[in-house]
Amino acid sequence: MKPILFNFTDGELEKFITDMGQPRFRAKQIREWLNRGAPDFSVMKNLPDALRHDLDAVAQTLPVKIVKKLQSSDGETTKFLLELNDCEQIECVLMRTTYGNSVCVSSQAGCAMGCKFCASTLLGLKRDLTVNEIFSQILVAQWELRCGRDAARERPIRANGDANNGDVSHIVVMGTGEPLQNTENVIGFCERANRDMGIGWRRITISTCGIVPGIHELIAWGRPINLAISLHAPTDELRGQIMPINNKYKLAEVLAAADEFTALHNRQLMIEYILLARKNANGDVELFNCTPEYAEKLSELLRGKNCMVNLIPWNAVDERDFASPSGNAVHRFQDILIKNGIHARIRRERGSDIGSACGQLRLGNKKHAE
């Protein structure tokens, strides 16, 4: 395998370059390109052609390479299938919104959580991602944003939070994998994104299906990020049917830990709730976790909490035995929550035409390869 120059320290990079017979200042030039997310050496226009050719033969730039890139028809969402140096694949998604450019990153190659509605877990957990592998996903998105605008300008990447500045402004650790099974590297990634890209803590969100010790690690870490809990059911009995993690950490324990985190930073807790239906023996669609009864139970569970419920109509996965509920059912569920004083919104569907749900592109590419 070719060495990855992004993973080198400055000293290691300088030695690598001088061992090739090049002057030391070339290492600084290359580092600047790496920090901008250069996908290969051909874009490094201030290097001699011969050096770019030689580097391409013996090294690679980032820990990830783009295998596939899909653009939604509305131009707002770009999904990347990325390959790691050991040939494992991950996904990240760039979303251009009215409040800025948000990137959803993966924290693991695969997932061990076994949620019954999700594509990410179908291929199992392969391994954790390193800080550099997570951070490189942001650089891929940043390069995409600047491509054709100022990707080739020699200036460091900074995100100042301006929704119109064309840079990555928000990060969501909500892609493939369970972030709090890889807490050390996820925290290291967040620290680096804050330090090197200037992305504020309040613009970073970490999502978990309910790893209670991991939430306590975030509390000890002490940064005022946003916490999202993938809840998806208002009772332990129902949640246990679709989320095996509930057999280890019950709803009361998960929400108690989440309350402790949000109270520490005075942050609003985000509750992720995928709305699921199923086809019965007659082929008719029946609501699963989004009946009016469950809306009332969810309202009771969350009453008095500083939270916002993000309602997510299910994005179909062929290998899963679920269906999407009707629009009427989705709005009825939201209306009941709002009536009961629960802040609830329906997530705007993004990238459905490119399979933007976690794990769909990776799974599809694996099936095609087989």
Side-chain angles (χ1 to χ4, degrees):
M1 293 186 292
K2 293 180 181 179
I4 300 167
L5 299 192
F6 185 81
N7 291 343
F8 285 10
T9 65
D10 288 344
E12 290 169 341
L13 181 58
E14 185 175 293
K15 183 179 185 305
F16 185 84
I17 294 303
T18 55
D19 285 350
M20 295 179 66
Q22 296 293 323
R24 286 188 177 88
F25 75 86
R26 293 295 184 200
K28 182 179 179 181
Q29 290 177 317
I30 292 169
R31 176 64 71 190
E32 290 171 348
W33 283 108
L34 295 174
N35 289 341
R36 290 196 293 277
D40 53 56
F41 299 104
S42 67
V43 300
M44 300 183 182
K45 301 300 185 183
N46 57 344
L47 301 184
D49 289 345
L51 177 56
R52 283 184 278 163
H53 179 270
D54 291 345
L55 285 169
D56 187 60
V58 297
Q60 70 181 68
T61 56
L62 300 179
V64 299
K65 293 185 291 187
I66 298 176
V67 175
K68 188 176 292 186
K69 181 176 75 173
L70 300 178
Q71 184 77 34
S72 64
S73 57
D74 60 13
E76 294 182 353
T77 304
T78 306
K79 185 162 190 176
F80 302 92
L81 179 66
L82 306 173
E83 187 168 274
L84 308 173
N85 215 29
D86 59 1
C87 297
E88 292 296 340
Q89 294 182 341
I90 58 172
E91 302 173 18
C92 75
V93 181
L94 166 63
M95 295 161 284
R96 302 164 180 85
T97 72
T98 55
Y99 58 81
N101 296 305
S102 181
V103 181
C104 179
V105 300
S106 296
S107 56
Q108 296 178 309
C111 184
M113 293 297 96
C115 298
K116 304 302 183 185
F117 48 82
C118 184
S120 295
T121 194
L122 284 167
L123 298 176
L125 174 65
K126 303 304 180 181
R127 65 173 177 87
D128 292 339
L129 301 187
T130 67
V131 171
N132 282 351
E133 287 170 336
I134 305 173
F135 189 77
S136 291
Q137 297 171 60
I138 299 297
L139 296 183
V140 167
Q142 185 75 56
W143 187 270
E144 176 72 15
L145 287 168
R146 293 189 170 189
C147 185
R149 179 172 62 89
D150 62 352
R153 292 184 187 174
E154 296 185 23
R155 63 182 180 86
I157 290 175
R158 297 291 291 178
N160 63 18
D162 181 354
N164 297 314
N165 73 350
D167 289 345
V168 173
S169 59
H170 294 70
I171 293 171
V172 183
V173 190
M174 199 182 289
T176 304
E178 166 51 54
L180 298 190
Q181 278 200 322
N182 188 21
T183 313
E184 181 179 356
N185 286 320
V186 167
I187 286 176
F189 156 71
C190 294
E191 291 280 3
R192 186 167 184 180
N194 174 260
R195 180 186 68 245
D196 294 355
M197 297 186 72
I199 297 179
W201 297 118
R202 295 179 184 271
R203 298 190 174 200
I204 298 174
T205 300
I206 294 177
S207 174
T208 177
C209 66
I211 308 293
V212 172
I215 298 174
H216 289 151
E217 287 185 67
L218 295 183
I219 293 170
W221 178 37
R223 302 293 190 269
I225 61 163
N226 301 298
L227 179 65
I229 301 294
S230 294
L231 202 71
H232 309 317
T235 68
D236 284 320
E237 188 277 330
L238 184 66
R239 195 168 192 256
Q241 292 181 38
I242 56 175
M243 300 181 70
I245 192 64
N246 200 75
N247 296 321
K248 187 169 185 178
Y249 303 113
K250 301 298 184 184
L251 278 170
E253 188 179 3
V254 172
L255 290 176
D259 287 344
E260 184 179 350
F261 178 90
T262 55
L264 179 65
H265 301 298
N266 193 30
R267 304 296 291 147
Q268 185 180 65
L269 176 67
M270 181 181 292
I271 299 293
E272 302 287 329
Y273 199 100
I274 289 180
L275 303 169
L276 301 167
R278 270 182 168 163
K279 289 186 178 180
N280 60 24
N282 297 322
D284 298 324
V285 174
E286 296 180 344
L287 300 180
F288 179 72
N289 67 342
C290 51
T291 63
E293 176 189 2
Y294 283 131
E296 295 288 354
K297 289 183 180 295
L298 183 61
S299 299
E300 183 179 348
L301 181 69
L302 300 179
R303 186 168 286 114
K305 295 185 182 298
N306 179 20
C307 69
M308 189 277 293
V309 180
N310 200 15
L311 299 173
I312 310 165
W314 187 62
N315 203 335
V317 178
D318 291 340
E319 293 79 6
R320 293 306 194 185
D321 185 27
F322 286 103
S324 299
S326 68
N328 286 339
V330 170
H331 285 281
R332 183 167 63 247
F333 195 88
Q334 180 192 32
D335 289 344
I336 293 172
L337 293 177
I338 293 173
K339 177 200 70 175
N340 289 324
I342 306 299
H343 182 198
R345 68 183 183 192
I346 300 169
R347 179 186 289 179
R348 180 185 167 193
E349 191 174 31
R350 291 181 179 275
S352 60
D353 56 330
I354 57 172
S356 64
C358 295
Q360 285 186 313
L361 183 55
R362 175 173 173 262
L363 178 63
N365 198 65
K366 177 70 174 178
K367 287 161 57 180
H368 179 74
E370 293 175 345

